[in-house]
Amino acid sequence: MRTHYCGLVDETLIDQTVSLCGWADTRRDHGGVIFIDLRDHEGLVQVVVQPDNNTAFAAAEAVRYEFCLRVTGTVRARPSSQVNDKLATGKIEVVVDQIEILNAAAPLPFMLHETPGEETRLRYRYLDIRRPQMQQTLRMRTRLTQTIRRFLDARGFQDIETPILTKATPEGARDYLVPSRVHPGEFYALPQSPQLFKQLLMMAGMDRYYQIARCFRDEDLRSDRQPEFTQLDMEFAFANERDIQDLVEDMIRQVFKEVVNVELDAEFPRITYAEAIRRFGSDKPDLRIPLELVDVAEHVRHVEFKVFSAPASDASGRVVALRLPKGAELSRKYIDDLAPYVARYGAKGLAWIRVDDLSKGREGLTSPIVKFLDDRAVEGIFTAVGAQTGDVIFFGAGNYKTVSDYMGALRLKIGKDNGHIEKSWSPLWVVDFPMFEYDEQSRRYMALHHPFTAPSIDDAADLRANAANAVSRGYDMVLNGNEIGGGSIRIHRSDVQSAVFDLLGISSEEAEAKFGFLLEALKYGCPPHGGIAFGIDRIAALMSGTDSIRDVIAFPKTASAQCLLMAAPSAVPEVQLQELHVRVVKPVKANS
């Protein structure tokens, strides 16, 4: 139907006949000559309909916004006074010989040069995707996956699909379940990840595996989560941490260079989990923000102010200070509003000191807490953080994890709000994660990554004896404060895997029922192996500069896991439920 794309018509085609297809972006009638900007995914071209072409002119008069058209005409140079340097096609136009209305368009619910509300965008996603910005974003995402495939194919990785209908296993989130018609009362689960299958492929001798895999998790959503998402899944046999990290570093560098022309660091820095929490309050620190947490417990342990001295004297407590240069310029309202912000992350309050004039000692300070601190404490804190006139120093005190969480969140907020963020790309590796975290409510250990992550202790008895302090062989790649990839060396011995299950409170009976196939496979010469998974949606969002992964997914769900376009989820006929041996039990409403 067409010989060229609209956005690719240029001066080399002058005096040639072209056939173009696309949508009417604008239509203008200038004194009897009709101009139509015809748009396809490559861009716009101006077509001109002369009044002496009666048939074409009559058709052009009927054209309205977003009519779908086919145009045949001759390319000519625009007059120099009408050249549009903002368009790739701005030096030419197409004089129409024939115009065909392929399909008329009803009035649209929004104009495509607008950015309507998200609900409208998702309801009419097929129109939203017509917008040039969305066209560019989704084509960028295609280039992203193409570049990944080329890189891995060239290095001997095998692209292998794994099942979508599989077995429910505990991996940290709720499974989506699919009832079986032929096995009444039994269910498949949609995979949260291909984790176990890729390990089995290593046991099968496939050596290097990858898959751009669809994954499913029934969890509470936010801007960077979807119930179904896409990840690059990878696994290596006979590899250690550095083997894996070095290769995928090269991959990410090449991907960013080829897709968005960004040069990432020649070597990504590595910091331990403990250092990341200590300095930044987060295991995915944004290194573009040059603000750091400083532990000041030693300077306040002696004070009578129990808010500080109690956690400073507690082995599980923490007292930290965060210096904001030029923070004295902030309004009192802004500072006061930070307290309810950090409360979302567990803070019971937010103490602060404003340094109006360091040379005046206490007389140069403004703070609701300074009266509770003696000169020794104030001097020690100011020396530790490098306080200067014009600074504000914020404090967190309490349980180590809680303080780290809310002060890490505060660091990000005040850094971004006050211009303390560099326009750069800052990748890093976070390594040496704790193997477990202890859940006080259930009174048992939880896996920080997943139950198949290998401990640095290569002895089952030693692991059992030192579980509280065990370090895993896990690692995360972080970019600009976002975890874009996470992986680990896997457990390759059945005794260690059984010990981990036991520490996680998974009984031998439950382990056999849910993971018997894995425990058996580990007995048959399982090689040392490890891998990593990258969030394709998250990487695409970073590349496109959006905060929401919904902007880089063709047909995403809302924050309540609904598809507004297809009206899913939805009820199904009773006869279909009967075939699946399923009965719907509606939730009982609580008494008012």
Side-chain angles (χ1 to χ4, degrees):
M1 292 184 70
R2 61 187 172 193
T3 61
H4 297 81
Y5 290 112
C6 298
L8 300 182
V9 180
D10 59 20
E11 302 95 301
T12 64
L13 297 172
I14 288 175
D15 295 330
Q16 294 187 33
T17 298
V18 297
S19 291
L20 310 172
C21 295
W23 288 270
D25 196 72
T26 60
R27 173 189 170 278
R28 306 177 299 280
D29 190 335
H30 288 181
V33 178
I34 294 176
F35 296 87
I36 297 173
D37 286 342
L38 192 66
R39 185 193 75 249
D40 64 13
H41 70 273
E42 291 288 357
L44 295 170
V45 66
Q46 178 173 281
V47 301
V48 183
V49 189
Q50 304 283 9
D52 57 358
N53 186 336
N54 295 329
T55 302
F57 196 84
E61 285 186 310
V63 169
R64 295 295 182 267
Y65 182 56
E66 287 302 294
F67 272 36
C68 188
L69 308 177
R70 179 174 183 264
V71 169
T72 300
T74 304
V75 180
R76 74 179 182 188
R78 290 196 197 190
S80 58
S81 61
Q82 296 178 19
V83 168
N84 184 350
D85 293 328
K86 295 180 180 179
L87 287 180
T89 61
K91 293 181 180 180
I92 57 88
E93 59 191 10
V94 178
V95 181
V96 171
D97 295 326
Q98 295 179 325
I99 184 167
E100 179 183 358
I101 298 176
L102 299 174
N103 210 335
L108 271 64
F110 58 90
M111 306 291 281
L112 300 190
H113 64 270
E114 301 173 339
T115 304
E118 187 175 63
E119 184 172 330
T120 300
R121 289 179 61 197
L122 297 183
R123 168 66 180 83
Y124 300 97
R125 190 61 161 183
Y126 48 88
L127 296 179
D128 185 47
I129 292 175
R130 274 196 211 168
R131 297 188 304 124
Q133 181 181 350
M134 283 297 296
Q135 289 277 316
Q136 294 166 12
T137 296
L138 293 182
R139 291 177 188 279
M140 178 274 294
R141 180 177 173 133
T142 296
R143 294 196 303 276
L144 165 62
T145 55
Q146 288 174 336
T147 306
I148 287 170
R149 289 187 187 280
R150 285 196 302 271
F151 181 93
L152 296 176
D153 291 344
R155 287 158 180 81
F157 283 81
Q158 307 301 308
D159 182 0
I160 304 174
E161 295 177 349
T162 54
I164 293 297
L165 295 177
T166 183
K167 184 181 181 68
T169 58
E171 291 189 45
R174 287 181 293 271
D175 290 313
Y176 279 101
L177 300 178
V178 180
S180 170
R181 178 182 60 82
V182 296
H183 299 284
E186 296 184 354
F187 294 80
Y188 299 103
L190 303 184
Q192 295 184 34
S193 77
Q195 179 62 49
L196 295 175
F197 286 108
K198 66 181 179 181
Q199 289 189 244
L200 292 171
L201 286 169
M202 294 304 98
M203 300 172 196
M206 292 308 300
D207 195 69
R208 286 187 169 193
Y209 142 93
Y210 85 96
Q211 180 184 186
I212 295 179
R214 298 293 284 167
C215 305
F216 308 86
R217 292 180 184 173
D218 185 6
E219 59 186 348
D220 296 333
L221 305 182
R222 52 179 190 251
S223 63
D224 61 345
R225 286 183 179 174
Q226 282 280 287
E228 52 182 322
F229 56 96
T230 305
Q231 70 181 35
L232 167 63
D233 204 49
M234 302 173 66
E235 201 75 6
F236 304 62
F238 304 107
N240 60 32
E241 293 92 327
R242 196 63 187 240
D243 295 330
I244 297 168
Q245 292 167 12
D246 287 348
L247 186 141
V248 299
E249 263 191 43
D250 287 343
M251 179 189 71
I252 292 297
R253 271 191 291 270
Q254 182 169 318
V255 164
F256 271 79
K257 177 61 180 174
E258 291 192 15
V259 178
V260 289
N261 197 29
V262 167
E263 297 271 4
L264 296 179
D265 294 345
E267 183 174 351
F268 298 176
R270 286 166 170 76
I271 66 173
T272 66
Y273 171 88
E275 181 184 358
I277 299 298
R278 176 175 58 80
R279 294 172 58 191
F280 309 110
S282 170
D283 61 359
K284 49 180 186 291
D286 192 338
L287 298 187
R288 298 173 302 165
I289 300 173
L291 309 178
E292 294 194 19
L293 308 183
V294 178
D295 285 284
V296 295
E298 63 180 297
H299 304 296
V300 297
R301 196 170 285 124
H302 67 281
V303 302
E304 295 184 4
F305 186 45
K306 297 299 183 183
V307 173
F308 281 5
S309 61
S313 302
D314 187 340
S316 62
R318 188 176 194 192
V319 183
V320 298
L322 176 62
R323 169 180 170 252
L324 177 63
K326 299 183 179 179
E329 300 173 2
L330 299 175
S331 69
R332 178 63 184 268
K333 181 181 185 307
Y334 177 87
I335 293 175
D336 288 344
D337 285 346
L338 293 175
Y341 176 79
V342 295
R344 303 178 202 169
Y345 300 88
K348 295 180 180 179
L350 184 64
W352 53 271
I353 297 175
R354 191 177 71 206
V355 186
D356 300 314
D357 189 340
L358 192 62
S359 66
K360 291 184 178 180
R362 286 179 171 273
E363 298 302 316
L365 306 179
T366 301
S367 169
I369 66 160
V370 73
K371 61 186 176 183
F372 301 116
L373 304 177
D374 58 24
D375 290 345
R376 171 185 160 197
V378 172
E379 183 178 348
I381 292 167
F382 281 16
T383 299
V385 302
Q388 302 290 327
T389 295
D391 294 345
V392 167
I393 302 166
F394 296 98
F395 296 89
N399 171 268
Y400 194 98
K401 183 181 185 306
T402 303
V403 169
S404 300
D405 287 346
Y406 73 74
M407 292 300 286
L410 178 67
R411 171 183 174 270
L412 292 178
K413 178 171 176 58
I414 63 176
K416 292 175 180 177
D417 287 353
N418 297 283
H420 294 280
I421 183 166
E422 300 169 1
K423 293 183 178 179
S424 63
W425 295 87
S426 295
L428 75 151
W429 286 103
V430 179
V431 299
D432 294 346
F433 284 81
M435 185 72 183
F436 307 107
E437 55 185 353
Y438 192 75
D439 182 60
E440 292 290 348
Q441 187 172 357
S442 62
R443 303 186 66 82
R444 66 183 181 91
Y445 288 112
M446 309 289 287
L448 202 66
H449 268 83
H450 55 63
F452 318 109
T453 298
S456 58
I457 302 171
D458 192 25
D459 181 88
D462 195 358
L463 177 64
R464 293 175 188 273
N466 297 285
N469 301 313
V471 174
S472 82
R473 299 180 69 182
Y475 37 81
D476 286 352
M477 184 185 287
V478 177
L479 181 62
N480 292 1
N482 296 269
E483 178 200 328
I484 63 170
S488 68
I489 300 300
R490 321 302 188 189
I491 297 168
H492 69 281
R493 293 200 342 245
S494 57
D495 61 329
V496 177
Q497 186 65 77
S498 294
V500 169
F501 284 159
D502 188 35
L503 288 165
L504 294 175
I506 300 173
S507 68
S508 57
E509 293 79 10
E510 183 182 3
E512 183 61 33
K514 293 182 176 179
F515 305 107
F517 60 93
L518 176 68
L519 294 171
E520 183 176 26
L522 290 172
K523 298 175 182 177
Y524 298 127
C526 173
H529 61 285
I532 192 166
F534 286 93
I536 295 294
D537 308 309
R538 193 164 299 175
I539 293 173
L542 285 168
M543 287 179 163
S544 66
T546 180
D547 293 329
S548 172
I549 63 172
R550 289 194 286 272
D551 288 338
V552 297
I553 298 172
F555 299 103
K557 306 292 190 294
T558 66
S560 58
Q562 292 178 299
C563 174
L564 299 182
L565 175 62
M566 303 292 289
S570 61
V572 298
E574 181 64 29
V575 63
Q576 192 171 357
L577 292 175
Q578 290 176 2
E579 288 177 344
L580 295 171
H581 318 286
V582 170
R583 182 164 57 94
V584 174
V585 179
K586 294 184 178 181
V588 178
K589 294 183 179 180
N591 293 327
S592 56

